Amino acid sequence: MRSFLKYLGWTLLVLVLALFVAVGLGVQTRPLVPPPPAAISPADVEQAKHFLRRNDPRQLAPGSLGTLRVSEQELGLLLAYLSSRHPQAAAQARLTAGAAELEASWALGGPFWLNVRARLEEDAGLPALRDLRLGALPVPDGLAAWLREQLLTRLAMNEELRLARQLLRHVSVRPGQLQLVYEWRHDSYRRLLDSLMPAAEQARLQAYHQALHRLSRQWRGPVSLSQVLPPLFALAAERSATGDATAENRALLLVLAAQASGRGLGTLLPAARSWPRPVVEFSLHGRPDFPMHWLISAALSAHAGGPLADAIGLYKEIADSRDGSGFSFNDIAADRAGSRLGLLAVQQPQRLQQRLASGVAESALLPDVSDLPEYLSAAEFRQRYGEIGSPAYQAMQQSIETRLDASPLLAPLLP
């Protein structure tokens, strides 16, 4: 018995020491991958737009195979965006012949980081995981294969990712390019849209869509956002008493943004095409364009983060300066105001509901910006402000931020 207890004690000691060694090798004090820049540029938005057009699967005949081609730069942009949504993590990838070399860092708190290196090598179907290292600790390929299967099982719990795996046929890697071969079916587009909106989310959207439809029957002509928001946020506050306040705010803003865009919710959610569509136009400071900028930026910010909403708003103004209505700093101000409110909708969801449900002035939603330059052609913009980011441009941006800071509603979201 004494020999057994002695053996058991030594075994436990060895296991504890092995655990300490593993943790010491796996945890490091510096990140392998530095955090990417927080800002998303208009050039990034332009690149994403071309990527979506180039890889639009709706151009395929049902039952045919399509190939999604992602360059190393585009993959890097996606990883940087995901890092902006999860600041505790950062990742980068290098695409070589037959393999993708991945590096990632995860903040553990304090000065400690979990750094991961791995190779994804082409296989018959999905890539195989090879050369996995946690910090300085190598992971045997057999254990890495088991971890890969566990990860795929967890990802399959997500409807969107489960659908993607069902469609995916093969992954190949070339120098600087990732290729994903998939089968496009007759119901793939509908299933993809539905997967992005789970049943609970669709129910929320329908609740605010129906509420907007009821309200729209009592409005005549363009109606100010100061009249639209209070009753809808009062409904959000009521529903949040037994639900998720952040999810309620996101659904509300998405319904209003879809209405302001002129396309309706059916573009994003096929089931909504059978819902009675509200007939209403919004206004803000007497203008019909401000609500579109404000609401779309608010919805984007609430769902995807402020930097993306700001970059898309700036991209649109640059495009307008080339062949549209011209670059308008007051549109940028409406974008920024909506972006701030969208962040408030997820950072302080119940507080926002209470404040808006009790009534709100137009000046709180968007301060007076009628004196800001607008309708500037590309040539006029360059003559007066040079390039995006120049001192003159930054001065205009600061003027906008100062005005938004003065709003008692938007002030809590100071950059």
Side-chain angles (χ1 to χ4, degrees):
M1 178 62 70
R2 289 181 179 178
S3 298
F4 173 75
L5 293 175
K6 185 177 181 180
Y7 172 77
L8 180 61
W10 278 106
T11 300
L12 291 175
L13 178 61
V14 170
L15 290 175
V16 170
L17 289 175
L19 177 61
F20 273 103
V21 170
V23 172
L25 292 174
V27 176
Q28 298 176 317
T29 56
R30 292 184 179 180
L32 178 64
V33 182
I40 300 175
S41 70
D44 295 335
V45 177
E46 175 79 15
Q47 186 175 7
K49 182 179 178 181
H50 286 307
F51 172 81
L52 293 173
R53 285 180 175 176
R54 186 176 72 247
N55 293 288
D56 189 348
R58 292 174 296 177
Q59 302 172 2
L60 298 173
S64 61
L65 296 179
T67 301
L68 181 69
R69 294 178 174 85
V70 186
S71 71
E72 188 171 289
Q73 183 182 12
E74 291 166 339
L75 181 58
L77 179 61
L78 174 60
L79 292 175
Y81 169 70
L82 293 176
S83 296
S84 71
R85 298 288 289 155
H86 304 280
Q88 74 276 19
Q92 60 189 18
R94 189 167 69 91
L95 305 179
T96 63
E101 298 179 357
L102 303 178
E103 296 179 337
S105 296
W106 188 277
L108 299 177
F112 301 113
W113 293 82
L114 176 62
N115 293 317
V116 180
R117 289 185 178 93
R119 281 172 58 85
L120 292 177
E121 296 183 353
E122 281 190 32
D123 208 345
L126 297 179
L129 186 60
R130 300 277 189 267
D131 300 333
L132 175 63
R133 297 180 70 88
L134 303 179
L137 180 67
V139 178
D141 284 348
L143 178 57
W146 180 82
L147 291 173
R148 169 185 175 273
E149 292 305 314
Q150 296 303 308
L151 176 61
L152 290 175
T153 301
R154 292 291 299 273
L155 293 177
M157 298 178 183
N158 180 286
E159 177 63 26
E160 179 184 355
L161 295 176
R162 181 165 60 249
L163 174 60
R165 189 176 180 187
Q166 290 173 356
L167 299 178
L168 192 61
R169 292 292 172 266
H170 180 64
V171 178
S172 62
V173 188
R174 298 179 180 180
Q177 188 179 79
L178 181 68
Q179 296 187 353
L180 297 93
V181 178
Y182 61 93
E183 180 184 1
W184 191 247
R185 304 169 185 171
H186 71 280
D187 62 343
S188 295
Y189 185 62
R190 178 189 58 78
R191 291 180 64 196
L192 179 61
L193 290 178
D194 286 342
S195 71
L196 295 172
M197 299 288 182
E201 181 65 14
Q202 292 190 31
R204 290 190 191 94
L205 292 171
Q206 187 172 19
Y208 294 108
H209 182 93
Q210 291 176 340
L212 181 61
H213 179 258
R214 288 193 300 270
L215 290 167
S216 68
R217 289 183 292 183
Q218 67 188 38
W219 291 325
R220 295 292 181 268
V223 58
S224 170
L225 285 185
S226 63
Q227 295 178 258
V228 175
L229 296 178
L232 291 177
F233 272 95
L235 174 61
E238 178 183 340
R239 290 174 55 87
S240 298
T242 57
D244 184 339
T246 297
E248 296 295 332
N249 290 346
R250 283 175 170 158
L252 187 163
L253 291 173
L254 184 57
V255 166
L256 291 178
Q259 181 68 25
S261 72
R263 298 185 177 183
L265 198 58
T267 305
L268 300 174
L269 181 62
R273 295 168 188 169
S274 62
W275 301 347
R277 185 168 177 177
V279 180
V280 59
E281 295 180 0
F282 304 133
S283 71
L284 189 56
H285 292 300
R287 293 181 53 155
D289 56 332
F290 282 171
M292 182 179 66
H293 286 273
W294 197 95
L295 288 168
I296 291 177
S297 292
L300 279 171
S301 181
H303 284 83
L308 179 61
D310 296 339
I312 290 176
L314 180 55
Y315 168 78
K316 181 183 182 302
E317 293 307 312
I318 293 174
D320 284 346
S321 72
R322 294 170 180 164
D323 50 16
S325 59
F327 191 105
S328 297
F329 279 103
N330 50 26
D331 286 348
I332 292 290
D335 291 329
R336 284 291 297 132
S339 180
R340 285 196 183 201
L341 185 122
L343 289 179
L344 185 60
V346 298
Q347 293 176 356
Q348 302 177 33
Q350 292 177 317
R351 180 185 177 190
L352 178 67
Q353 291 170 356
Q354 294 168 359
R355 294 183 68 174
L356 292 181
S358 62
V360 62
E362 284 194 334
S363 59
L365 300 174
L366 178 65
D368 182 23
V369 292
S370 59
D371 60 317
L372 295 179
E374 59 181 330
Y375 308 130
L376 299 174
S377 67
E380 290 174 322
F381 182 89
R382 284 193 300 270
Q383 182 181 10
R384 296 176 63 174
Y385 301 101
E387 301 295 330
I388 299 294
S390 70
Y393 176 84
Q394 291 294 346
M396 290 300 302
Q397 286 289 96
Q398 185 55 51
S399 173
I400 291 172
E401 298 302 320
T402 300
R403 298 181 193 211
L404 298 181
D405 292 347
S407 167
L409 176 65
L410 304 177
L413 292 180
L414 292 177

